[in-house]
Amino acid sequence: MKTLLLGANGQLGRSLIEDGGLAARGELVAASRDGRRYDNLHIETADLSAPDSLSDLLNRVRPDVIVNAAAYTAVDRAEQEEALATRVNGEAVGALGRWAAAHGTLVIHYSTDYVFDGTATAPYPVDAPTAPLGAYGRSKLAGERALRDSGATHFIFRTAWVYAPHGHNFLRTMLRVGAERDELRVVADQLGAPTSTALIVAGTLAALDAWQTADAGQRRAVVGTHHLVASGHTSWHGFAGAIFAGAVERGLIARAPHVAAIDTSDYPTPAQRPAWSVLDNAGFQRSFGYALGDWQTGLNDVLDALSRQRA
Ligand SMILES: NC(=O)c1ccc[n+]([C@@H]2O[C@H](COP(=O)([O-])OP(=O)(O)OC[C@H]3O[C@@H](n4cnc5c(N)ncnc54)[C@H](OP(=O)(O)O)[C@@H]3O)[C@@H](O)[C@H]2O)c1
């Protein structure tokens, strides 16, 4: 199995490489926007803002599986750059899908809770009506549709509140800012499931393994869209509290700052975020026989990894 991984330097892309599971299943070819990996290794170049340029790389690599971890993820900036976000998150995904459909290649793609408007009060099932609140969500929904319309065999894994020991994420911001301040104000009226990249990697590999050993009928039953998120839910305020408690316990910070609960209206941002971002992940667990652990377990594992790095 030859896999082409796009977005090697993102939170998820880097975890997919560092985990080693994709490489262990065959040949792994990684690509980034500038042809450099996070550790300065020279890799392939794939710029999703130029969708027409992707076929050269695809024709040369001829992957059996494309894993697309690249995305325009600047949620607030997307309000000003919707055309670019749509090119990267929508049109480029369609181009990948069309090439894959013509070559019998499986596409594994990631999408987001932001395709929903967050007005629900129960976990969103996979087939719940979508209604993005902002440009980023619209661009990701365009990617989902383009991939479905391409005719490629695909998995779309919607995930949410992603964090890792590396990269730009809420956990790392909290640890940095929390070490500098006595008090932080964190939004308490947005709810979701903080999901570590380790869980997304493990879920992706479980799905890939299930797909590879399945017969044609079983494959037809499991391909399509799934929710790949941790189980349970909390608020950003709850997540911050758990981060500080776990960080103090492991000596990552000397003491926890006071975390004041605020409303979304107290912290206006250019892009509106869904208030309820909880995705029903039961279908994923049933389809692939893989249990998605709760968000607290994922957090403890990432804090343990950070304290091992410090040791
Ligand atoms: N982060 C979240 O909370 C979250 C929530 C829900 C869903 N998701 C989805 O999960 C997936 C992985 O997200 P992530 O958190 O790993 O994102 P990330 O850390 O922001 O990484 C995205 C990667 O995409 C690359 N990229 C951006 N524009 C590109 C372009 N034009 N051509 C090629 N590469 C480009 C970036 O490259 P550079 O390194 O060069 O900037 C970056 O390495 C994405 O599909 C995202 O939409 C994320």
Side-chain angles (χ1 to χ4, degrees), residues 84-104:
L84 174 60
T86 305
R87 221 160 49 241
V88 174
N89 292 344
E91 290 158 36
V93 178
L96 294 173
R98 285 188 294 281
W99 188 93
H103 294 82

Side-chain angles (χ1 to χ4, degrees), residues 6-13 32-34 46-50 68-74 84 88-89 109-114 136 140 157-163 167-168 197 200 236:
L6 304 174
N9 295 336
Q11 298 191 75
L12 178 57
S32 68
R33 193 203 319 236
D34 62 1
D47 182 357
L48 273 65
S49 70
N68 180 28
Y72 181 110
T73 55
L84 174 60
V88 174
N89 292 344
H109 176 67
Y110 301 92
S111 189
T112 172
D113 51 320
Y114 282 28
Y136 167 74
K140 293 294 290 183
F157 294 136
R158 290 193 191 124
T159 188
W161 293 29
V162 177
Y163 67 100
H168 300 290
T197 54
I200 305 175
W236 290 114

